[in-house]
Amino acid sequence: MSIHLTREQVLEILATARSQGTPPDFCAANLQQLNLADVDLRGADLRGADLRWTTLCRANLAHANLCGADLQGANLQGANLGWANMQRVNLQRADLRAAYLVDTQLDGTDISKSVR
């Protein structure tokens, strides 16, 4: 079981990765219920991350790898998910209103119970 990260820790990991020119690594991270509204997570590795009930309004997740992540109940209103890998993602009860989904990979993802 992974340690639950805080918003401050997420921002620190992002800053460090950007300064080193590497993709931010949140693989299998516990980010449940965080407020990550407006956060730039583009290109981040979020494979298998726990993002249940996380606020990601207007977050930039372009080119992020969310394969197998759990986004149940997440608020993704206005989020940029363009070119993201969202294969086998749990989006039950997620709010996708005004989310940007151009060229997003959604194979094996059920968006039928999400708000669109």
Side-chain angles (χ1 to χ4, degrees):
M1 180 148 196
S2 61
I3 296 171
H4 189 270
L5 297 177
T6 65
R7 177 183 169 91
E8 292 72 27
Q9 289 170 318
V10 169
L11 295 175
E12 184 178 319
I13 291 168
L14 286 168
T16 300
R18 302 277 187 240
S19 70
Q20 296 173 351
T22 60
D25 185 0
F26 298 101
C27 188
N30 184 345
L31 307 172
Q32 187 179 35
Q33 297 182 354
L34 289 183
N35 181 353
L36 299 176
D38 300 303
V39 173
D40 185 0
L41 291 159
R42 78 189 127 84
D45 185 353
L46 290 152
R47 288 174 293 147
D50 184 350
L51 293 153
R52 289 176 291 163
W53 306 102
T54 298
T55 300
L56 292 156
C57 297
R58 299 170 309 279
N60 185 357
L61 291 151
H63 301 280
N65 188 351
L66 291 141
C67 186
D70 191 346
L71 286 152
Q72 178 180 328
N75 186 341
L76 293 154
Q77 288 185 49
N80 180 0
L81 297 162
W83 307 278
N85 179 353
M86 293 186 69
Q87 296 178 52
R88 298 178 310 282
V89 169
N90 179 5
L91 285 172
Q92 290 184 5
R93 295 185 290 281
D95 189 339
L96 294 164
R97 287 179 286 183
Y100 186 75
L101 294 162
V102 170
D103 288 328
T104 303
Q105 298 174 31
L106 292 166
D107 300 333
T109 296
D110 182 6
I111 63 170
S112 63
K113 294 179 180 126
S114 60
V115 179
R116 292 172 272 146

